[in-house]
Amino acid sequence: MIDLHFAPTPNGWKVSIMLEECALPYTVVPVNITRGDQFKAEFRTLNPNGRIPVIVDGDPPSGGAPVTIFESGTILLYLAEKTGRLFPRDLRDRYQVQQWLMWQMSALGPMLGQNGHFSLYAPEKIPYAIERYRNEAHRLYGVLDDRLGETAYVAGDAYSIADIACFPWVMTHKAQGFSLDEFVHVRRWFAELRERPLLQKGLAVGRRAVSKTLDDTARENLFGTRPPAAAAR
């Protein structure tokens, strides 16, 4: 059994989708990131960086003691290797998937995250920051659109962990002020993936509406430079 330490965010949904796609049994351990659960000592023993998601696999492929893994991209790779699914064996195909997974981790996710922060959540609207991250997010949508104009899926002809990594972030496009009408190949891909029953099941884990108003405690826990003293104990 796998314990999934989870909050309903794009990075959390990557892992719940993967677990469903791989038909792996798992238990959800909720982490209330607006109340600082990620800063508590018991969670930080699992991930010193204090971020979700984390998995604890009680039945690792090598046997022995449970394996704890943090960082959503690493978790996707681990689950793909554990099950032999959604990560090809052929060298060229394998590195196509891996490089697009790293692109999501290093570019699409962080830049969309910063765009969302400065345009939606920052208490001070800073025109330079809003323009900077919106332009970069727009550019990255263009990169993905060009890619999907050449291939059926992000990393080639087969659905893979690269698609699972990208989808939950693209799912935020309306909230971030983007329309997929401008990115016709992304729109085609997005519509196809959202019809996958197991993807939908993974998205249903912990789904909740995101409040447009955040209290001071939630803002500190989500966006502060350090955890509040009480939450860190």
Side-chain angles (χ1 to χ4, degrees):
M1 179 67 74
I2 292 174
D3 288 337
L4 168 60
H5 296 259
F6 173 90
T9 71
N11 287 332
W13 282 318
K14 290 179 198 176
V15 180
S16 59
I17 291 169
M18 183 64 176
L19 288 164
E20 293 293 341
E21 292 278 9
C22 292
L24 287 167
Y26 66 99
T27 298
V28 174
V29 182
V31 180
N32 189 334
I33 58 176
T34 65
R35 296 299 149 196
D37 286 357
Q38 69 273 33
F39 300 126
K40 292 179 179 177
E42 56 267 35
F43 185 81
R44 290 174 69 95
T45 62
L46 303 176
N47 182 359
N49 194 39
R51 295 290 184 270
I52 62 94
V54 175
I55 65 167
V56 180
D57 186 359
D59 184 27
S62 60
V67 172
T68 300
I69 301 174
F70 60 87
E71 287 296 327
S72 59
T74 303
I75 295 171
L76 291 178
L77 287 167
Y78 174 83
L79 295 175
E81 292 179 349
K82 176 183 173 77
T83 60
R85 300 187 62 180
L86 302 174
F87 193 35
R89 295 184 180 277
D90 175 80
L91 177 70
R92 290 169 181 81
D93 293 342
R94 193 174 184 84
Y95 276 93
Q96 281 290 334
V97 171
Q98 190 159 316
Q99 68 186 3
W100 283 101
L101 173 64
M102 294 303 109
W103 175 80
Q104 187 283 313
M105 298 294 295
S106 66
L108 186 68
M111 292 301 103
L112 265 59
Q114 293 292 348
N115 177 63
H117 175 75
F118 284 105
S119 63
L120 299 173
Y121 300 115
E124 179 185 356
K125 299 305 179 186
I126 305 171
Y128 174 81
I130 293 171
E131 182 179 10
R132 160 81 176 96
Y133 289 111
R134 180 171 180 80
N135 287 346
E136 182 62 3
H138 186 273
R139 185 188 73 81
L140 292 166
Y141 270 110
V143 171
L144 184 59
D145 196 61
D146 288 346
R147 175 61 176 171
L148 290 168
E150 300 171 347
T151 60
Y153 299 98
V154 173
D157 295 331
Y159 179 67
S160 74
I161 56 175
D163 299 283
I164 291 174
C166 291
F167 182 90
W169 281 102
V170 175
M171 194 172 68
T172 69
H173 65 274
K174 289 183 181 179
Q176 296 211 17
F178 291 103
S179 170
L180 296 187
D181 290 343
E182 184 179 355
F183 306 103
V184 295
H185 304 299
V186 175
R187 184 178 64 190
R188 180 268 306 164
W189 167 85
F190 183 78
E192 178 182 337
L193 263 60
R194 72 186 303 174
E195 295 301 317
R196 294 181 66 92
L198 293 175
L199 183 146
Q200 287 295 330
K201 192 174 179 181
L203 288 176
V205 175
R207 193 75 183 266
R208 62 169 172 75
V210 177
S211 173
K212 293 183 179 179
T213 58
L214 298 170
D215 63 24
D216 289 343
T217 299
R219 285 187 174 278
E220 177 65 28
N221 286 323
L222 292 173
F223 310 131
T225 57
R226 63 182 62 187
R233 295 193 187 104

